[in-house]
Amino acid sequence: MPDFPYSEIVMEHFRHPHNVGRIEEPDAKSIEGSPACGDMVALYLKVDEKSHRITDIKFESYGCASNIATGSIITEMAKGKTLEEAKAITWRQASEALGGLPPIKTHCSILAVDGLQAAIQNYEERHGLIKERVPTTVEVVRKRLKRVMNPLVGLDLVRTKLVKEIKVADGIVNVALKLPDNHQFAPNIHEEIIEKIEPLWDVTQVIVEFEE
Amino acid sequence: MFGELIYLDNAATTRLDERVLEAMTPFFLKTYAIATSQFGYSAGIEAREAIGAARATIAKALGAAPEEFVFTSGSTESSNIAIKGVALALGEKKGKHIITSRVEDFPVLHSARTLEKQGFQVTYLDVDEFGRLDLDQLRDAIIPETILVSIQAANQEIGTLQDLVSIAQICKDRGVLFHTDATHTFPRVPIEVQEVPVDLMTVTAHLIHGPKGVGGLYVRKGTPLNKWMDGGFQEFNLRAGEENIPAAIGFAKAVELTTPEETARLEQMRDRLIERLLQIPHSQLNGHPTLRLPHNVNVSFRFVEGESILLHLDMKGFAVSTGSACFSRSLEASHVILGIGGNHERAHGSVRFTFGRYNKSGDVDAVADVIADVIEQLRAISPLGKEL
């Protein structure tokens, strides 16, 4: 047999993904990625109000095999766990459970893990579980930019050193990029940055600057 | 699954025809001498005559003289020799401007990039939504410093044919050399150099059931072309290195075996598959509806991703190709789909099917049935398109 890039476990989850579909009237949901940038994952949660246990979880994927397989394994791992337990699930654990993923496919699989974290956060925000509101700082913005992918290499903007400068003042966030405005991915990256930063509670405006 | 493979990636490479192998075998085992001069030993003279006959066969298919055809290791080398050879011959003397298009295959595109780094100016012409060049844009792009125009005969992904007759005529009228990458057309879509004033043409063997590792370059008599890979004086002193005689014999045999009747059969399969695939909702043909390669089908399916389609088809025994970023080694979306004004989503869901000699007419419905199921299955788990 030829040496396939995907493990047998990945292929099994790709062929028969678990927990796919939508939950009508979910208690929380998240959408990570965008069709423009490539892969996209939607995640839906049902959470028991008292125990904060995930009673049902479903996902939808517009993506490649590693994206679908990670969505499948991460929902299996999170099902029945409390929100606090589910928050601790890492990409590494998901990848190990799948018998490893090709390095170039890291970004497609991280998306599903980010989706779970974002859905939990969405639940906490909706149900007033966030105790204190942290003011937005440069570090907070940087952390969020780590979830915006540079599609050229499949790694995030921060790791690929595309972020030149971040400024935060009076609710206005300014992100300067080392990327020309006529770059093929510029509009997509722009849109994704806005999507990630704008929901922060004390942010009123997001400005993205490209190089001439 | 490998026993029952239905291979629909004939624009990537093709299965060798047994008759080609049969023609090649004696030149591995019996007449294995190099092509010596006419004063050499008889085995060498025999080899020389054999490669001469192979050259004559291919030249005839091009409408060229035998001494205008150079054997190479394939179309990558042919396009490199053509573009860099002209640049070396005319760069200092005439000018440092080259014109090509955005949707060329990598041998042409990357040769142009290399020359750019060495101080040449390159104009990359746009194509329209079908992948066709705007001839007025070409006319406007030619300046006194222009030494070469390189435009493909047909596109490797979406199969769009260019108006080579007009492009070649424009170049001739303006006194600029014209190279065309005919990798995907030769000899199925005939281009006679007597009728089309092309100066250099890249061709290859392995896409017409010939051997891998052999191609050729047509060089019109008198075309200024500098040799840049040093070695012996083979191939009219344009391409150093011992000739791959068995492969050259195989190339000629493959050309002989490619008939207009077969091409017509491929065309029928192509049209039937396009018709079937466009019945799938939210599908779109990439490339021109009629001016396209006889064996190429390229369709984008919305809300689904190409690598997933490809893997599902592979599990069911079908080999196809996709322009999705997820599938490429570089994670970059197809520059061709982006070049025809498509977005990433369109490239993401694009699938290319290319027919060859060993496809049966039943393959069309077989793949159409399976892909309809695969698309439905993937759309069922996709977050996109549900509201439509």
Side-chain angles (χ1 to χ4, degrees), chain B residues 79-92:
Chain B
S79 291
N80 269 269
I81 290 179
I83 295 169
K84 293 173 187 170
V86 167
L88 272 175
L90 297 179
E92 293 302 327

Side-chain angles (χ1 to χ4, degrees), chain B residues 56-66 68 186 191-196 201 218 220:
Chain B
T57 300
I58 299 168
K60 194 175 157 220
L62 291 165
E68 292 178 309
F186 179 76
I191 300 162
E192 297 257 348
V193 294
Q194 301 308 324
E195 286 147 38
V196 187
M201 177 162 29
Y218 161 75
R220 183 178 293 279

Side-chain angles (χ1 to χ4, degrees), chain A residues 1-2 4 6 11 14-15 17 20 22 35-42 59-66 68 104-105 107 151-154 184-185 188, chain B residues 1-2 302-305 307-309 311-312 314-315 325-333 338 344-346 348-349 377-378 380-384 386-387:
Chain A
M1 282 294 281
F4 284 115
Y6 293 125
M11 287 308 288
F14 168 65
R15 272 190 286 259
V20 279
R22 247 171 225 205
C37 260
D39 292 353
M40 182 170 161
V41 174
F59 82 101
E60 292 174 310
S61 161
Y62 165 69
C64 62
S66 63
I68 293 171
I104 194 165
K105 295 288 185 174
H107 129 238
L152 279 183
V153 285
Q184 66 172 125
F185 290 113
N188 307 332
Chain B
M1 89 181 54
F2 292 92
R302 289 191 70 191
F303 319 128
V304 288
E305 190 279 318
E307 192 213 59
S308 289
I309 301 173
L311 277 175
H312 272 292
D314 182 45
M315 292 188 286
C326 298
F327 175 66
S328 79
R329 283 174 215 182
S330 58
L331 286 185
E332 279 183 70
L338 300 180
H344 276 76
E345 200 186 339
R346 184 159 157 202
H348 230 43
Q377 198 183 331
L378 288 172
I381 68 166
S382 172
L384 299 170
K386 295 284 160 61
E387 287 76 24

Side-chain angles (χ1 to χ4, degrees), chain A residues 51-97:
Chain A
S51 62
H52 292 158
R53 208 167 272 284
I54 297 171
T55 54
D56 197 9
I57 177 165
K58 280 198 173 5
F59 82 101
E60 292 174 310
S61 161
Y62 165 69
C64 62
S66 63
N67 183 283
I68 293 171
T70 314
S72 176
I73 199 93
I74 200 102
T75 50
E76 277 296 288
M77 290 164 86
K79 206 182 222 175
K81 286 204 165 71
T82 64
L83 295 178
E84 286 306 316
E85 287 163 352
K87 265 193 214 173
I89 299 172
T90 63
W91 171 80
R92 192 163 297 282
Q93 289 167 341
S95 173
E96 274 164 17

